[in-house]
Amino acid sequence: MGQQNALADALVTVVNYGGYVPENEEAEKVTIHGCAFSSRTVAMTFGQRLEVANLDPLEAYMPNLEGAPFMAVLVAMPQGEAVRFHPPQPGYYELVDKMPKPFLKSQVFVLKFATHDVTGLDGQFEIKNIPVGKVLTAALLPAIDQDVKKEIEIKEGDNTLDFELNFDLEKHKEKKGATPSP
């Protein structure tokens, strides 16, 4: 829960629309500062690269994209150039630090489509350029592996959609140890 009971770090997607929506950015950017990634959930489109920049003034990190082939040890120097990763295929990955900081993790979803976003601390998200018509929307909170789906009609102009994810402690205990699906 974020500010005013808003849900941060939820992956929101839109699919089943007609046409093609291109990705606007070449890279999805993540920063490290104060022994934390800027987001616990990262969404990117297959073909984008992941750039991890270290904003700390003194400490170096060794970010690694678990689930992707391990090619070399990459070091994110203090306030230096970003480390770049190129996920080999769509799917689920985990961004970790190889300098044993087990708490430094971020879940990375590499999707086949560009219509996605991750909610900020205020619970807000924005997905642009969705073609008009019926679409399927979904929100996933990886931390508790809960999702919700809605079919909606996209109309010309601004469209607003709210999601509500309910945490069920008993279901969470049953699923504990399972990896969320992309």
Side-chain angles (χ1 to χ4, degrees), residues 111-125:
L111 306 170
K112 295 179 182 180
F113 47 88
T115 48
H116 54 74
D117 197 12
V118 175
T119 58
L121 290 175
D122 60 359
Q124 300 293 309
F125 63 93

Side-chain angles (χ1 to χ4, degrees), residues 128-139:
K128 295 181 179 182
N129 303 322
I130 303 167
V132 295
K134 284 195 181 214
V135 298
L136 179 63
T137 62

Side-chain angles (χ1 to χ4, degrees), residues 78-96:
Q79 300 178 350
E81 292 288 320
V83 171
R84 295 178 175 193
F85 296 98
H86 300 270
Q89 62 189 25
Y92 170 77
Y93 299 86
E94 196 167 56
L95 182 61
V96 298

